[in-house]
Amino acid sequence: MVEDEKIKTQVSPFAMKEGEIKTFDGKDGYVSINQIIHRINLGHISEIHFKILELVNEFEFMTSRQIYQILVHRNVDIKSQDKLNNKLEQLIKTKILTRYYFSTEDGKCIYRVYCLEKMGKYFGTDGFRGEANVNLTVEHAFKVGRFLGWYFGKEHKAQIVIGKDTRRSSYMFEYSLVAGLTASGADVYLLHVTTTPSVSYVVRTENFDCGIMISASHNPYYDNGIKLIDCYGEKMPEEILLLVEDYIDGKLHVFDKDWSELPFAHREHIGCTVDYVSGRNRYMGYLISLGIYSFKGVKVGLDCANGSSWNIAKSVFDALGADTYVINAQPNGLNINNNAGSTHIEGLQKFVVEKGLDIGFAYDGDADRCLCVDEKGNVITGDHILYIYGCYMKERGKLLTNTVVTTVMSNFGLYKAFDEQGIGYAKTAVGDKYVYEYMAKNGCRIGGEQSGHIIFSKYASTGDGILTSLKMMEVMLAKKLPMSKLAEPLKIYPQVLENVRVTDKKAAQNDEAVQAAVKAVAEALGDTGRILVRESGTEPVVRVMVEATDHDTCQKYVSQVVETIKSRGYGV
């Protein structure tokens, strides 16, 4: 029999080099913990499945016999080898495990070796994101366009819509995408500067093959991203994203054929571009149509983050009759999210109080998220929004399944408040993609993230910041109460969140000393709070969050873990 180490180091395509430490958590290698949590919530993974995954994660490469023997040794009730093999097949079908076949040197025996499935190399949970012309280049954008134009144009002339935010590099990426798309024969419709949810709306209501949004959301101006949206206005299926990646890497195999290069369109088949600002205007009209109350006499503050909402949000609120006051609506290509918007809400807090406004709304760079400020200058987070609108829906008998969908980042206090109101809740992995997929599968009407990505599935298939602000206005006007009163029943546990910029996200989290520090905090908190350490999906950052009964306790424990990360040499 070939020894395990021989399989691992000699014939595995993932062979470990001497001294190399291989980790299995996401973007640069293998399926992420977020994905596993998501699939658990969708019902794809049972407790037995999770035990198998823990084991494969621990030993990296294993045969089914090895998995069975260790599970039995650990007193896991797996019944039989056949039962285990069935579980392994289920995990392969859900694309969490992958299997490789290796033969002995004499060719007499074949071994099946299991490891965690590889995930996207370029596309994360929120698109292909990176610093412009560093790890996201015009060549990448051109190839994305070439593939999409060809793939969706196999049976008819593809029609693809593009929107962008206000970053200087967004224009560069737009031109590169257009070049790739039209070279493959697609017609391209340009919405120009617009929001991510507007692209989703236009795609699903006007029969486009797909949509592209050029944005890095709340990231700094020097970053950018390419978000792909399918014909239903939802995030592009993973299997298509993997094909795009294969084409970028020159190893595309699809339609039973290897494609070292894709054919170019010629003559009249070359695609054209269409100025499609009318699509953006129809989206604005749709938002206005959702305003069931007049906003006349309500003083509303808007922080547009010098981003996508700068020329949309005010027009919508003005049309509904509000007295609208706007800050950070003068984009210059370099100031998007710069001390502005939902990630720097302190500016709007001050603005609301100084101007004596009734309410304030802050958006991020592409306006797919929204946070609020009440008339007293207090921040109304995504958790508050979920609570306020969840209760409003339940009161009117509109909360289908009696469930609000949250993520693991939501505050303890939200769940206590839901319990008091008799409202059920679900928890998904972090990412509006996972929230929406759970909602779609289970028929839920509202879900979102603490950061302000709120999805109202009756009206949109993605988070929409401007739509969220309109819904908050609706509750205020329907109940004739200020935002501070609507949020009052929700008691938020003190929370401290610190972002640590690191050299290696995975190594920092997997470090034994860091894990020991996290475990010590968790044990100290017991059932009076919690600690959550997770990596950013879009930045070289590890997020350390603690909730506890008081702020000082939160800060103490966050500082302990952050100092451990830095003392181990991971801090930048």
Side-chain angles (χ1 to χ4, degrees):
M1 177 177 176
V2 177
E3 296 178 357
D4 307 340
E5 193 64 27
K6 194 168 184 179
I7 292 175
K8 184 190 299 184
T9 60
Q10 291 192 13
V11 296
S12 167
F14 300 123
M16 297 173 67
K17 299 172 186 175
E18 188 173 354
E20 177 185 8
I21 299 175
K22 194 176 286 289
T23 59
F24 295 78
D25 194 24
K27 212 162 183 300
D28 297 322
Y30 297 80
V31 67
S32 68
I33 295 302
N34 254 5
Q35 289 177 306
I36 292 173
I37 293 171
H38 170 57
R39 287 163 185 169
I40 290 172
N41 284 324
L42 290 179
H44 293 160
I45 301 176
S46 67
E47 184 178 350
I48 293 293
H49 288 122
F50 198 75
K51 293 288 186 185
I52 295 169
L53 291 173
E54 285 183 320
L55 196 57
V56 175
N57 186 48
E58 180 180 349
F59 287 91
E60 301 180 14
F61 299 93
M62 303 185 74
T63 65
S64 61
R65 184 63 181 165
Q66 291 167 339
I67 296 171
Y68 178 73
Q69 289 174 335
I70 295 178
L71 287 175
V72 170
H73 179 71
R74 294 181 178 180
N75 298 316
V76 176
D77 187 14
I78 196 63
K79 306 295 186 187
S80 68
Q81 181 74 58
D82 286 341
K83 294 285 187 184
L84 171 65
N85 291 342
N86 289 336
K87 298 293 185 186
L88 291 171
E89 288 298 323
Q90 291 164 5
L91 287 169
I92 287 171
K93 286 179 181 178
T94 57
K95 297 184 178 179
I96 296 178
L97 279 187
T98 191
R99 175 174 54 212
Y100 293 90
Y101 294 88
F102 304 116
S103 63
T104 56
E105 292 175 358
D106 59 12
K108 292 181 179 179
C109 293
I110 294 178
Y111 294 93
R112 293 177 296 183
V113 179
Y114 296 85
C115 68
L116 290 178
E117 178 64 272
K118 295 195 77 174
M119 68 169 286
K121 177 179 178 181
Y122 300 111
F123 286 88
T125 58
D126 207 20
F128 186 168
R129 194 175 292 186
E131 185 173 343
N133 280 344
V134 177
N135 44 11
L136 172 59
T137 69
V138 290
E139 285 87 356
H140 289 132
F142 178 74
K143 285 191 171 184
V144 171
R146 284 279 284 128
F147 177 84
L148 295 177
W150 170 79
Y151 182 83
F152 288 104
K154 291 289 286 182
E155 297 180 357
H156 62 273
K157 195 170 189 64
Q159 294 185 313
I160 296 172
V161 64
I162 298 180
K164 64 175 181 283
D165 69 15
T166 58
R167 296 163 209 271
R168 179 172 292 181
S169 63
S170 292
Y171 293 81
M172 174 183 74
F173 286 120
E174 179 183 55
Y175 300 149
S176 189
L177 283 162
V178 168
L181 288 162
T182 54
S184 289
D187 289 342
V188 186
Y189 292 72
L190 302 179
L191 295 173
H192 303 290
V193 173
T194 192
T195 66
T196 294
S198 74
V199 178
S200 175
Y201 172 80
V202 170
V203 169
R204 70 182 174 86
T205 59
E206 302 191 31
N207 298 316
F208 284 97
D209 291 293
C210 71
I212 303 172
M213 180 64 187
I214 304 163
S215 177
S217 191
H218 60 281
N219 284 27
Y221 79 89
Y222 48 78
D223 288 340
N224 217 324
I226 299 173
K227 301 182 182 184
L228 303 185
I229 298 167
D230 70 11
C231 62
Y232 304 106
E234 301 171 7
K235 294 191 177 183
M236 191 70 77
E238 203 166 304
E239 56 267 26
I240 296 180
L241 296 179
L242 292 174
L243 291 176
V244 177
E245 295 187 346
D246 284 346
Y247 175 60
I248 291 173
D249 287 339
K251 57 179 184 180
L252 178 63
H253 181 88
V254 67
F255 305 131
D256 298 319
K257 183 178 176 181
D258 291 324
W259 301 83
S260 58
E261 190 47 83
L262 298 177
F264 284 97
H266 298 102
R267 299 190 177 187
E268 72 275 12
H269 299 296
I270 293 173
C272 67
T273 58
V274 180
D275 187 318
Y276 207 58
V277 70
S278 60
R280 185 183 68 194
N281 292 339
R282 277 190 287 277
Y283 165 73
M284 292 169 62
Y286 172 67
L287 290 178
I288 292 167
S289 75
L290 298 178
I292 62 175
Y293 296 100
S294 168
F295 295 173
K296 186 176 181 180
V298 183
K299 293 185 288 185
V300 179
L302 302 175
D303 184 342
C304 296
N306 293 311
S308 292
S309 64
W310 81 274
N311 60 352
I312 296 178
K314 186 178 189 304
S315 298
V316 172
F317 275 84
D318 285 348
L320 290 167
D323 296 331
T324 312
Y325 300 76
V326 182
I327 57 174
N328 298 315
Q330 295 180 309
N332 62 15
L334 306 177
N335 61 359
I336 187 171
N337 300 316
N338 184 21
N339 295 317
S342 60
T343 52
H344 297 278
I345 202 166
E346 59 277 1
L348 181 62
Q349 290 178 273
K350 181 179 179 183
F351 186 69
V352 167
V353 173
E354 286 181 349
K355 296 290 185 181
L357 306 183
D358 299 309
I359 185 72
F361 300 105
Y363 310 115
D364 66 337
D366 65 337
D368 64 352
R369 67 170 73 177
C370 169
L371 294 180
C372 311
V373 172
D374 70 20
E375 75 283 0
K376 298 177 181 179
N378 299 312
V379 177
I380 303 298
T381 68
D383 283 349
H384 289 93
I385 293 169
L386 291 173
Y387 173 76
I388 291 167
Y389 205 82
C391 291
Y392 178 61
M393 292 180 76
K394 185 175 177 67
E395 289 169 6
R396 298 178 300 134
K398 303 288 187 181
L399 187 60
L400 301 186
T401 74
N402 192 44
T403 301
V404 177
V405 183
T406 70
T407 77
V408 293
M409 286 295 286
S410 282
N411 192 277
F412 268 9
L414 177 62
Y415 303 119
K416 290 182 176 294
F418 278 152
D419 288 339
E420 291 171 2
Q421 296 295 327
I423 294 174
Y425 46 84
K427 297 180 184 180
T428 76
V430 176
D432 60 332
K433 168 184 177 179
Y434 301 122
V435 172
Y436 180 73
E437 287 183 5
Y438 186 95
M439 292 171 69
K441 177 180 173 63
N442 295 281
C444 303
R445 281 290 178 86
I446 183 172
E449 299 184 278
Q450 187 184 60
S451 61
H453 279 121
I454 309 296
I455 301 173
F456 300 89
S457 62
K458 182 178 178 179
Y459 307 103
S461 53
T462 186
D464 188 328
I466 301 175
L467 171 61
T468 298
S469 55
L470 296 179
K471 291 315 229 176
M472 288 295 95
M473 291 289 292
E474 179 183 327
V475 181
M476 285 176 57
L477 293 167
K479 299 180 76 69
K480 297 181 173 60
L481 289 172
M483 186 60 66
S484 61
K485 285 293 183 183
L486 293 172
E488 196 172 59
L490 175 58
K491 306 299 181 187
I492 293 293
Y493 270 54
Q495 180 186 87
V496 172
L497 171 65
E498 190 166 333
N499 295 325
V500 188
R501 194 162 285 269
V502 294
T503 54
D504 187 323
K505 294 182 287 189
K506 295 170 184 57
Q509 288 189 94
N510 292 331
D511 185 275
E512 288 185 5
V514 173
Q515 291 182 348
V518 172
K519 183 179 179 182
V521 170
E523 290 174 349
L525 288 169
D527 60 1
T528 65
R530 64 168 180 155
I531 181 170
L532 185 64
V533 179
R534 53 177 287 268
E535 68 179 61
S536 167
T538 59
E539 298 176 272
V541 163
V542 170
R543 308 191 197 283
V544 181
M545 186 273 287
V546 171
E547 289 173 347
T549 53
D550 62 86
H551 184 275
D552 289 345
T553 300
C554 294
Q555 188 62 65
K556 179 179 75 172
Y557 288 134
V558 166
S559 297
Q560 283 182 18
V561 175
V562 169
E563 284 305 311
T564 302
I565 292 172
K566 291 180 177 178
S567 69
R568 298 289 288 178
Y570 300 109
V572 175

